Amino acid sequence: MKPTLFVLAAGMGSRYGGLKQLDGLGPNGETIMDYSIYDAIQAGFGKIVFVIRRVFEQDFRDKIVSKYEKRIPVEIVFQDLENLPNGFTVPEGRTKPWGTNHAVMMGKDVIHEPFAVINSDDYYGRESFKVLADFLSNKEGKKGEYCMVGYRVCNTLSESGSVARGVCETNEQGFLTKVTERTQIIRDEDGVIKFIEGDTKTPLAENTPVSMNMWGFTPEYFKESEDYFAKFLSENIQNPKCEFYIPLMVDILIHAGKATCAVLDTPSKWFGVTYASDRQGVVDKFKELADKGVYPSPLFK
């Protein structure tokens, strides 16, 4: 059975100033998601599942899903604030979503095979989808054998300033042991990549693996997440900013001895849109890729 690609597209796009998931950035109005779907199909994924918010369902179906329906099976699920375990209700005044792992949990009724998770507004590169598909293609019937695509930090930097990245540590077997969030990573004046902490700058090797939220799981991950989410809510529900993140859940399962997470190397260069000022740079990159023949133009004929 081919793996499924699960696309997280429920973000509000507040920093960007609109629904960046639907923004046409390619030479023929392609979205970043379009390139991810194209690369996933080429890599051997067999189904696409999107998690979105209900308020833009029709726009999403008209502009996004209609492109893919004749090429690959597509499902849509919804991340609702009210979708909580029995005994829990949304605190008064809470408007913030419950986080990326809560979004992943929404796929439990439509995903029954090994699956990958990606952001909708990140460009990951075709090599990354290939290594991910290869890993997941032989995981049917297995449990607790997860993976994460580890991008070389040198391929994730921004020309506009510092970036925040989850810096990964692995053991001798290449399995993830720890992810440390570094909120300021730059290439310094001396050409060396460093993370800044207070007044201290600490060098990072060019090929240091970092997480760009590109994961691979087997289906029991849904049940493990549901079980822990109730505990997470009992401890954090009154915190209006609390979020249930994927790295938190993965870390819990690793240290409980329930899972391993292989860190897969990729030569791909990541890019994406966080702020509106990033848009033109992404437009230019997609044009360059089309001009070089890396992608057909238009992407989907």
Side-chain angles (χ1 to χ4, degrees):
M1 183 179 290
K2 292 182 177 181
T4 286
L5 182 68
F6 194 11
V7 184
L8 306 184
M12 294 182 179
S14 56
R15 289 178 295 175
Y16 182 65
L19 291 176
K20 55 186 171 179
Q21 298 93 333
L22 306 184
D23 195 2
L25 302 171
N28 298 278
E30 294 92 347
T31 67
I32 292 180
M33 275 189 294
D34 288 335
Y35 290 92
S36 292
I37 304 306
Y38 181 89
D39 286 338
I41 292 172
Q42 299 298 311
F45 284 85
K47 181 172 71 175
I48 310 297
V49 178
F50 295 99
V51 57
I52 66 171
R53 290 182 293 137
R54 292 182 189 273
V55 294
F56 59 85
E57 177 185 2
Q58 196 56 55
D59 257 2
F60 197 88
R61 289 189 183 277
D62 292 343
K63 296 179 181 179
I64 302 296
V65 175
S66 60
K67 302 178 194 179
Y68 314 133
E69 286 178 315
K70 294 181 180 179
R71 295 176 171 85
I72 189 169
V74 177
E75 301 263 11
I76 288 180
V77 296
F78 303 101
Q79 185 181 19
D80 294 323
L81 202 60
E82 296 77 17
N83 195 324
L84 297 176
N86 290 335
F88 293 93
T89 57
V90 180
E92 185 176 352
R94 172 90 190 198
T95 59
K96 192 176 186 66
W98 294 107
T100 53
N101 210 63
H102 180 256
V104 170
M105 290 164 55
M106 303 303 102
K108 67 173 183 175
D109 293 331
V110 298
I111 300 176
H112 309 288
E113 58 283 323
F115 65 100
V117 177
I118 65 168
N119 292 334
S120 62
D121 50 2
D122 289 327
Y123 173 80
Y124 290 101
R126 62 179 48 181
E127 300 93 345
S128 301
F129 285 98
K130 184 65 167 63
V131 298
L132 195 50
D134 288 349
F135 180 92
L136 294 172
S137 62
N138 64 357
K139 294 295 183 260
E140 188 174 356
K142 298 182 179 180
K143 294 183 178 181
E145 296 185 24
Y146 307 154
C147 69
M148 183 204 76
V149 177
Y151 280 74
R152 303 167 190 174
V153 67
C154 63
N155 288 334
T156 72
L157 301 179
S158 170
E159 297 176 1
S160 302
S162 65
V163 296
R165 298 286 180 257
V167 176
C168 304
E169 297 177 28
T170 61
N171 60 20
E172 292 180 356
Q173 292 75 42
F175 292 125
L176 185 69
T177 57
K178 185 179 181 181
V179 179
T180 303
E181 193 67 27
R182 299 298 184 189
T183 57
Q184 286 185 283
I185 298 177
I186 60 168
R187 188 178 293 280
D188 212 351
E189 293 88 348
D190 56 7
V192 177
I193 299 173
K194 299 174 182 177
F195 70 85
I196 303 171
E197 206 167 31
D199 296 327
T200 303
K201 294 182 179 180
T202 304
L204 281 175
E206 296 276 325
N207 289 343
T208 299
V210 296
S211 171
M212 303 307 298
N213 213 38
M214 193 178 200
W215 303 87
F217 299 111
T218 43
E220 86 290 341
Y221 186 77
F222 294 117
K223 180 64 166 61
E224 296 286 2
S225 295
E226 283 186 332
D227 291 345
Y228 185 77
F229 188 44
K231 182 176 186 295
F232 174 85
L233 288 174
S234 67
E235 297 172 353
N236 297 282
I237 195 167
Q238 295 306 322
N239 177 355
K241 295 184 178 180
C242 73
E243 293 189 61
F244 186 35
Y245 292 118
I246 295 170
L248 170 64
M249 189 67 233
V250 172
D251 184 70
I252 288 165
L253 294 176
I254 288 173
H255 287 95
K258 292 186 174 183
T260 58
C261 185
V263 177
L264 310 179
D265 179 53
T266 178
S268 293
K269 291 187 176 182
W270 170 95
F271 58 84
V273 171
T274 301
Y275 301 97
S277 58
D278 297 331
R279 186 181 187 278
Q280 188 57 50
V282 173
V283 169
D284 294 341
K285 286 184 175 70
F286 281 135
K287 184 178 185 303
E288 180 182 354
L289 289 169
D291 289 345
K292 289 181 176 179
V294 176
Y295 293 103
S297 185
L299 192 60
F300 292 110
K301 296 182 180 179

